[in-house]
Amino acid sequence: GAGVSQSPRYKVAKRGQDVALRCDPISGHVSLFWYQQALGQGPEFLTYFQNEAQLDKSGLPSDRFFAERPEGSVSTLKIQRTQQEDSAVYLCASSPDAFSSGNTIYFGEGSWLTVV
Amino acid sequence: AQRVTQPEKLLSVFKGAPVELKCNYSYSGSPELFWYVQYSRQRLQLLLRHISRESIKGFTADLNKGETSFHLKKPFAQEEDSAMYYCALSGRAGTASKLTFGTGTRLQVTL
């Protein structure tokens, strides 16, 4: 595709419900990142994949958050037993190389999650 | 720990006036700094990075290691510059760079 694609674009979940957010990176991109952006804040790093390997998950806020990229392409961010503080925009980004320092990182439009 | 500070949530300027969006950072190492922009209803996109020392859409930013700053400047603001601007610092995540963002500054250019 032309860019990073995320779905759903908007999700309203009841507190306690599980949600899954999907990211289709740019074809052939090795690196994939997930960020969380709360209202009025900048994006905050959640996790990073190089191909199918999750090399850094230091930003995941709790064990309710889980991410995978089993075939090194599409990635899913899963949030179990959602809480109100999980309400945010979840941004996916991809980059062409493993060593991305200085390379452009391309962002998706985000998945807007509201927990009620 | 790495941190990026953007002290202004909103900056309102008149068309044709100079613009300076402030960014300060803390990082124990040699940083890579970026400015990202998000126009209304569009995705976050890279505006410029310090290693390129380039001017994009009339914007420039100089890394000042002594003052740990990376302010974004433009001599004459245009209406189409109205957007959300984020300063970001690159640190390593494994072998790739993860970005630490500031809280953003909304630039509003009025006639």
Side-chain angles (χ1 to χ4, degrees):
Chain A
V4 178
S5 178
Q6 294 187 243
S7 62
R9 289 294 319 282
Y10 304 93
K11 174 72 178 177
V12 178
K14 291 186 177 179
R15 192 171 58 168
Q17 186 179 351
D18 296 349
V19 299
L21 308 176
R22 176 188 168 106
C23 173
D24 276 279
I26 295 173
S27 178
H29 276 198
V30 169
S31 295
L32 186 146
F33 303 82
W34 282 99
Y35 287 83
Q36 180 191 56
Q37 186 173 17
L39 189 65
Q41 301 297 315
E44 291 191 1
F45 172 81
L46 292 178
T47 187
Y48 162 69
F49 290 86
Q50 180 181 316
N51 296 308
E52 69 279 3
Q54 189 175 21
L55 297 186
D56 189 327
K57 52 183 181 179
S58 62
L60 295 177
S62 78
D63 59 6
R64 297 186 295 103
F65 287 71
F66 171 78
E68 61 183 3
R69 194 186 185 197
E71 297 179 358
S73 179
V74 171
S75 177
T76 304
L77 176 67
K78 297 179 179 178
I79 309 172
Q80 297 177 321
R81 304 181 304 280
T82 52
Q83 303 294 317
Q84 281 193 315
E85 62 262 27
D86 300 335
S87 296
V89 180
Y90 290 86
L91 297 171
C92 179
S94 70
S95 184
D97 300 321
F99 181 66
S100 304
S101 178
N103 284 348
T104 299
I105 296 175
Y106 298 87
F107 282 86
E109 293 179 294
S111 289
W112 294 63
L113 173 64
T114 302
V115 181
V116 297
Chain B
Q2 53 199 58
R3 186 165 61 236
V4 175
T5 302
Q6 293 180 252
E8 302 141 329
K9 279 204 171 296
L10 172 67
L11 182 64
S12 185
V13 301
F14 288 109
K15 179 181 174 181
V19 173
E20 182 178 52
L21 299 171
K22 290 185 168 47
C23 172
N24 288 88
Y25 67 90
S26 62
Y27 183 66
S28 55
S30 192
E32 291 189 60
L33 276 298
F34 304 82
W35 276 98
Y36 279 80
V37 61
Q38 188 167 27
Y39 300 102
S40 179
R41 295 195 175 91
Q42 293 188 27
R43 63 190 68 197
L44 197 60
Q45 59 186 282
L46 178 67
L47 180 62
L48 55 80
R49 53 188 149 210
H50 92 270
I51 57 172
S52 300
R53 303 184 67 82
E54 57 200 345
S55 173
I56 302 292
K57 299 183 179 182
F59 285 97
T60 58
D62 290 319
L63 179 61
N64 185 323
K65 292 186 178 181
E67 296 182 358
T68 59
S69 68
F70 188 57
H71 303 327
L72 183 68
K73 299 178 183 179
K74 184 170 183 177
F76 308 104
Q78 303 298 315
E79 275 187 272
E80 56 265 29
D81 297 330
S82 295
M84 196 74 187
Y85 291 81
Y86 294 94
C87 182
L89 180 153
S90 174
R92 296 296 175 87
T95 59
S97 302
K98 62 179 176 181
L99 295 168
T100 297
F101 287 88
T103 51
T105 298
R106 179 168 298 283
L107 176 63
Q108 187 174 294
V109 181
T110 56
L111 296 174

